[in-house]
Amino acid sequence: MELDLFIEAMHKSFMELTDFKLSLKNENHDSDQIYTDISSTIGLYGSSKMALILTMSEQSVLVISENIMGASLSWEDNLVSDTMGEILNILVGVAQKDSPEKFSFSIPITIKGKEHEVRVPKKTYTKVTFIFSHEGKENEIALILVKLK
């Protein structure tokens, strides 16, 4: 499994869920420390073991959650965490359907906390950041594929 599979699945599923168009942001990632407001992680089990992590800022997840739910939400609302996990679950399901390699996956685990650290060992992961616009503001979403074995 490679990150490209999940990038393509992200483009497909995100547009269907939200009507927001994603663009890739060019970045260099060589740190083992990633800071975010909300992250959701899912285990991937195929020919190798991996984890896929979806991260967003508070602003980004609120915009997406409100768009999907059709209602205004607050940061404290449990639907924000549920939406984050469900987005990752849908994304992995789309990737699984399109993948030439068979794999299974775990349920997503979501952590919410301002500027919490997601630590992954250097040189074990690939990260890509997407941008989407809403009401003139740029919002970011990151996907991180971690090779476990």
Side-chain angles (χ1 to χ4, degrees), residues 36-99:
T36 189
D37 294 335
I38 190 164
S39 61
S40 195
T41 304
I42 204 164
L44 306 168
Y45 311 99
S47 60
S48 57
K49 293 180 182 170
M50 299 182 173
L52 187 65
I53 306 167
L54 178 67
T55 67
M56 293 185 208
S57 67
E58 176 183 352
Q59 174 185 309
S60 295
V61 74
L62 283 174
V63 166
I64 292 166
S65 297
E66 290 172 0
N67 182 276
I68 292 171
M69 299 298 171
S72 182
L73 300 173
S74 72
W75 177 244
E76 291 75 27
D77 197 316
N78 287 336
L79 281 175
V80 173
S81 296
D82 293 347
T83 300
M84 184 75 169
E86 195 56 36
I87 290 169
L88 184 58
N89 207 29
I90 290 167
L91 162 70
V92 173
V94 169
Q96 183 186 47
K97 189 177 112 185
D98 294 344
S99 177

Side-chain angles (χ1 to χ4, degrees), residues 10-27:
M10 183 70 170
H11 282 292
K12 284 182 186 177
S13 58
F14 196 77
M15 188 66 166
E16 285 181 28
L17 285 171
T18 66
D19 290 328
F20 294 133
K21 186 175 188 282
L22 294 174
S23 302
L24 286 173
K25 179 178 179 181
N26 291 327
E27 290 184 311

